[in-house]
Amino acid sequence: MDKVTSIFGENVFNESTMKARLPKETYKQLMKTIEGGEKLDPSVANIVANAMKDWAIEKGATHFTHWFQPLTGVTAEKHDAFIQPTKEGGIIMEFSGKELVQGEPDASSFPSGGIRATFEARGYTAWDPTSYAFIKDGTLCIPTAFCSYTGEALDKKTPLLRSMEAISKQAVRVLKLFEGNEAVTSVKTTVGPEQEYFLVDKSVYDKRPDLIYTGRTLFGAKAPKGQELEDHYFGMIKPRVQAFMKDLNEELWKLGILAKTEHNEVAPAQHELAPIFSTTNLACDHNQLTMELMRKTASKHGMVCLLHEKPFAGVNGSGKHNNWSISTNTGKNLLDPGATPFENAQFLLFLSAVIKAVDDYQDLLRISVASAGNDHRLGANEAPPAIISIFLGDELTAILDALEAGVAYGSKDKEKMQIGVTVLPDFNKDTTDRNRTSPFAFTGNKFEFRSLGSNDSIACCNIMLNTAVAEELSQFADQLEGSKDINKAVHDLVLKTIKEHKRIIFNGNGYSDEWVKEAEKRGLMNLKTTPDALAHLCDKKNADVLKKHGVFNDVELKSRYEIYNDNYTKVINIEALTMIDMTKKLYLPAASAYGKKLADSVTVKTSIGVDSTYESDVAKSAGKLTASIFNKVQTLEKAIAAAKDVTEADKAAVYYKENVIPAMNELRANVDELEGLMPSCEWPVPSYGDLLFSVR
């Protein structure tokens, strides 16, 4: 047996391990919970816990933890040893069903948006049996949901699971209207999240306080070479990076993560990893683990993995493409058009539901990818614009156009590619191109939501997407159930939907200024920044749909509104303070010392009658910039100080957007200009060139 197949999933308490270690009846009952959503019997939990403990100890684990995803954007864990004391003064290794099913971490220090006060510490974690337990760093990790003492969700997993149940329920209602779906009892959304990242040498990273504190460079003049030659994209992978990728793949495979594709991305030092599709809940857990293991593995290789959406100005930032589809428990992909999509009424109905969902809830989808970091990418000619639209491609657009016009669609046969080299094999040309400028593009049998930032959890975008589509399917089922002629009813509904929502379909260049103007004419929203987007989270339309499908209640939704605004403000505040700190402690002292050297050189040259024009001119330019930088530091300090008077989270976010960020941009412009005047040996931090080409 080859190495990959032998190590794959070795650290996961997966279905095959459960089947081998659990009594037959216990295994059957647990699978009913995992696959059918049935409630877990407490007696089953005890048996599973004991088997899980024995397996973990055999693997070298000494502790267990409830592994959960609070609203910090990262994962959390509290480790407990399996040990229990005996009367004889020794210990035994125990793990009960109660410990498996429920934990009690302190809830007061996690973001709660006012749900929990500091003195109200109690919170609960609850085992999610649909996501397999795994061993990481010698600890048995049990994926769990996290809620407050009063029952509100304080995490990203709980609403994601709720949204998956919502879309399953409504999709099954629709499917029951079509013949051949008698065996369908549930529907699951599946996701394959592509992950972009940068690698830089740790010795260079350690000299950049901005990277350490914020994950991105707050200063930096453009390097002589960036991505202009497009030679890094899909280029030869450097041996050091290849060694990192090899180790990363092995660690991911051991955890049952389906890491599939790896390559160099557009910018220097930028790379990408893409997995095979899995159920959305599992994909979300796996993506969190992937980001964690990227950082750990990079460190072992003397590098640092940067997952910020925009680590460097002037070159592409990093995104995360959320490839989303819907499948039945019988294995049918509901977004697969088949050979004749124009005759596939079921496909066209589900396609129409997605189109309507994206149009009706374009603000929720934009909110789901909103963050301070992602604001640097969206619309920056490297990522989709902040305007949400759908790319369908030529064939599907032509089908919908024909349907709307009431004419027959003339299908195209597969066209053979003509390359002009006789020795190359023939292959079929796809019926449509791809569009990398679209935020939400149909790519054969799935939609690719391209707007996510690389550091984002994929939970939020899938929560909003699942809920929006569930709502449209619910409306469709209400209209179609009881129809005497289901074929005619479906035809009329698809036609009506396309006519009312075709404004959201755009197959052109999303980067162009013309599209911004066209989108405005169509009435599409252009929510350019995070505060602009978050202002719509609690709109009645959005609150109603999230509550209707049980994804969030009023308290949970308002808490997230507070948390997301507060997070935006805190991120910008940390960046601003870091800029002030670096300017005062590094850039201004370096500029002053260099100015003195220049002045001394002018004095010496003048005394011996040598031309000192170079030193004199540079000293004057550097002196003017230094004075301007000092003034702009003070302006930024005043802007931050004034922010303390803005106590409401949403108003504070707007204040930082309108006052602090512009002051930061002005300070950066001056410091970057100063960097261009000073010799490398005098500049106190590594340059962009040092960073982007540090891994050789």
Side-chain angles (χ1 to χ4, degrees), residues 462-484:
N462 286 292
I463 289 167
M464 300 309 187
L465 184 54
N466 289 347
T467 307
V469 176
E471 172 59 18
E472 309 306 353
L473 291 174
S474 171
Q475 292 182 22
F476 284 6
D478 289 344
Q479 295 173 62
L480 294 172
E481 286 170 345
S483 298
K484 294 180 180 179

Side-chain angles (χ1 to χ4, degrees), residues 53 71 88 92 189 214 233 303 434 476 505 523 528 588 614:
K53 178 257 300 179
L71 296 169
E88 295 78 17
I92 56 173
T189 55
T214 74
Y233 190 51
M303 297 183 289
R434 297 184 70 183
F476 284 6
I505 300 170
K528 295 180 181 179
L588 287 176
Y614 161 71

Side-chain angles (χ1 to χ4, degrees), residues 372-510:
N374 213 20
D375 281 357
H376 295 288
R377 285 179 64 248
L378 297 181
N381 281 358
E382 62 181 73
I387 305 162
I388 300 295
S389 65
I390 292 178
F391 168 82
L392 287 183
D394 298 336
E395 183 177 33
L396 287 183
T397 302
I399 290 169
L400 298 182
D401 287 345
L403 186 67
E404 184 181 0
V407 298
Y409 170 71
S411 64
K412 295 179 181 178
D413 293 329
K414 287 283 187 180
E415 181 184 342
K416 294 289 184 184
M417 286 295 293
Q418 301 294 325
I419 303 180
V421 181
T422 55
V423 298
L424 295 179
D426 291 338
F427 61 93
N428 289 329
K429 179 181 179 180
D430 288 320
T431 55
T432 187
D433 201 349
R434 297 184 70 183
N435 188 335
R436 68 186 297 271
T437 73
S438 174
F440 200 79
F442 188 76
T443 55
N445 61 2
K446 63 186 184 299
F447 278 98
E448 184 179 24
F449 191 14
R450 299 172 54 90
S451 300
L452 284 75
S454 56
N455 205 32
D456 284 347
S457 162
I458 66 169
C460 193
C461 78
N462 286 292
I463 289 167
M464 300 309 187
L465 184 54
N466 289 347
T467 307
V469 176
E471 172 59 18
E472 309 306 353
L473 291 174
S474 171
Q475 292 182 22
F476 284 6
D478 289 344
Q479 295 173 62
L480 294 172
E481 286 170 345
S483 298
K484 294 180 180 179
D485 186 344
I486 189 65
N487 291 327
K488 183 179 185 307
V490 168
H491 175 276
D492 292 346
L493 181 55
V494 170
L495 179 59
K496 179 176 181 289
T497 303
I498 297 309
K499 284 182 176 179
E500 293 177 355
H501 299 280
K502 64 182 180 181
R503 66 171 185 167
I504 201 73
I505 300 170
F506 177 66
N507 293 334
N509 180 9

Side-chain angles (χ1 to χ4, degrees), residues 87-126:
K87 291 180 180 179
E88 295 78 17
I91 59 164
I92 56 173
M93 305 292 270
E94 286 189 347
F95 183 50
S96 68
K98 183 180 178 182
E99 289 174 307
L100 168 63
V101 170
Q102 180 185 317
E104 188 188 333
D106 187 334
S108 63
S109 296
F110 289 109
S112 72
I115 292 177
R116 298 263 78 193
T118 303
F119 66 89
E120 296 172 317
R122 197 179 295 278
Y124 298 108
T125 48

Side-chain angles (χ1 to χ4, degrees), residues 34 60 77 157 160-161 238 275 319 322 348 362 369 376 404 454 468 488 519 523 603 641-642 684:
I34 294 172
E77 49 195 71
K157 178 183 281 283
L160 178 61
L161 291 171
K238 295 174 182 176
N322 190 81
L348 290 174
Q362 51 188 281
V369 297
H376 295 288
E404 184 181 0
S454 56
K488 183 179 185 307
T603 301

Side-chain angles (χ1 to χ4, degrees), residues 8 190-193 253 256-261 273-279 283 286 323:
F8 187 82
T190 56
V191 168
W253 291 334
I257 298 172
L258 294 160
K260 174 76 172 176
T261 304
L273 180 147
I276 298 172
F277 278 60
S278 53
T279 304
H286 283 178
N323 294 283

Side-chain angles (χ1 to χ4, degrees), residues 138-294:
T139 300
L140 173 66
C141 298
I142 302 149
T144 54
F146 178 45
C147 66
S148 73
Y149 179 68
T150 46
E152 291 87 8
L154 291 174
D155 66 342
K156 301 196 174 188
K157 178 183 281 283
T158 303
L160 178 61
L161 291 171
R162 292 170 179 170
S163 74
M164 291 173 67
E165 287 187 5
I167 195 171
S168 177
K169 178 181 176 181
Q170 301 305 329
V172 169
R173 285 180 66 196
V174 171
L175 288 170
K176 292 301 182 184
L177 301 170
F178 293 89
E179 292 183 6
N181 291 325
E182 293 77 16
V184 175
T185 57
S186 66
V187 163
K188 290 184 178 178
T189 55
T190 56
V191 168
E194 303 168 26
Q195 179 72 55
E196 295 175 345
Y197 60 98
F198 281 81
L199 291 174
V200 298
D201 190 273
K202 189 174 187 303
S203 64
V204 184
Y205 167 90
D206 286 341
K207 297 173 183 175
R208 292 286 311 215
D210 46 0
L211 281 178
I212 293 170
Y213 294 140
T214 74
R216 76 179 182 102
T217 52
L218 301 171
F219 301 98
K222 195 173 180 180
K225 182 181 185 295
Q227 62 193 54
E228 300 88 350
L229 297 178
E230 299 170 338
D231 52 341
H232 191 257
Y233 190 51
F234 279 28
M236 183 192 74
I237 300 172
K238 295 174 182 176
R240 194 173 167 194
V241 176
Q242 188 70 71
F244 156 82
M245 289 178 170
K246 179 179 181 295
D247 286 354
L248 175 63
N249 284 331
E250 289 185 6
E251 292 305 312
L252 293 174
W253 291 334
K254 288 176 185 177
L255 289 171
I257 298 172
L258 294 160
K260 174 76 172 176
T261 304
E262 59 191 26
H263 62 84
N264 288 349
E265 254 298 332
V266 174
Q270 188 183 32
H271 312 278
E272 181 178 301
L273 180 147
I276 298 172
F277 278 60
S278 53
T279 304
T280 304
N281 175 39
L282 201 57
C284 184
D285 288 356
H286 283 178
N287 185 248
Q288 291 290 340
L289 284 169
T290 297
M291 291 190 287
E292 179 183 330
L293 285 169
M294 281 178 167

